[in-house]
Amino acid sequence: AIRELATALPAPPEIGSPEDTADRAASDALKRFEDGDRWLMATAHSELNPPLALQHFDCALDVRTADAETPTLKRLAERLMRDAVVLAEISSARFHRARPIADDPQRRACVRMEADGTARSAWPGRAGLYGAAYAEALAAAAPDRAQAVRRIGQALGDSAAICALNRPADIQIGRRLGATLAAAQALSPEYRADAATAGEEIVRLRAT
């Protein structure tokens, strides 16, 4: 199923096309955030692996997940990340689009990047993919906070664009993949049961 999702990925904008030109201009406009508060937030948002990634959603969920006993919530996040990484790897192997920091020597990443990370394909934007997948899972677990957690999921993708790791179009296609992945997983009874139990863990955690 993951491979089928990856094969449905469209190609990135062709270099020099109006779409590509507009996307590069939108990316260049994000330079204004360098070294400001939003840049610092983007640095914090670069941690996307569970269980630490769940802490980005603490305020939206009105909980504190650090060191909390939420085994099902963490298992749900780990399952999503595992499948999202496979989806991203298969998808990025189909198309290569250079990251802003690889294309433009004037751009700076807000995190330290090794050479292989800089050279990695920006298409699809992994932060958009992971952020959307997490957000949809948490929206299912805590539907009363769905709007808030989706805003955080969107912010995680925005941060990668501010950080010059992706352009806006990379993030948009990543979000589309992430939402599709979460919807595909939600067809599994095991996934739905975990989402329900994760919701109960969140309710108990709020009470503390």
Side-chain angles (χ1 to χ4, degrees), residues 27-40 101 104 106-110 162-164:
S27 178
D28 288 344
L30 298 175
K31 292 178 184 177
R32 69 186 186 277
F33 291 112
E34 287 185 2
D35 299 319
D37 289 345
R38 188 61 182 84
W39 177 263
L40 295 177
I101 53 170
D104 182 355
Q106 301 302 314
R107 296 298 295 273
R108 291 189 292 121
C110 62
I162 288 167
C163 202

Side-chain angles (χ1 to χ4, degrees), residues 92-160:
S92 60
R94 294 186 60 219
F95 303 108
H96 186 274
R97 191 185 195 207
R99 289 182 159 185
I101 53 170
D103 260 358
D104 182 355
Q106 301 302 314
R107 296 298 295 273
R108 291 189 292 121
C110 62
V111 291
R112 182 177 178 180
M113 298 292 296
E114 301 295 340
D116 59 340
T118 300
R120 175 184 285 175
S121 177
W123 189 267
R126 294 181 184 229
L129 195 166
Y130 302 158
Y134 284 141
E136 290 307 310
L138 292 172
D144 60 322
R145 301 301 175 101
Q147 186 175 0
V149 297
R150 286 182 176 125
R151 280 198 299 267
I152 299 301
Q154 181 160 341
L156 295 179
D158 291 342
S159 287

Side-chain angles (χ1 to χ4, degrees), residues 75-90:
R75 182 171 67 243
L76 191 69
E78 287 164 359
R79 174 180 173 174
L80 269 175
M81 179 54 114
R82 183 175 63 249
D83 288 351
V85 167
V86 173
L87 177 56
E89 292 289 346
I90 297 173

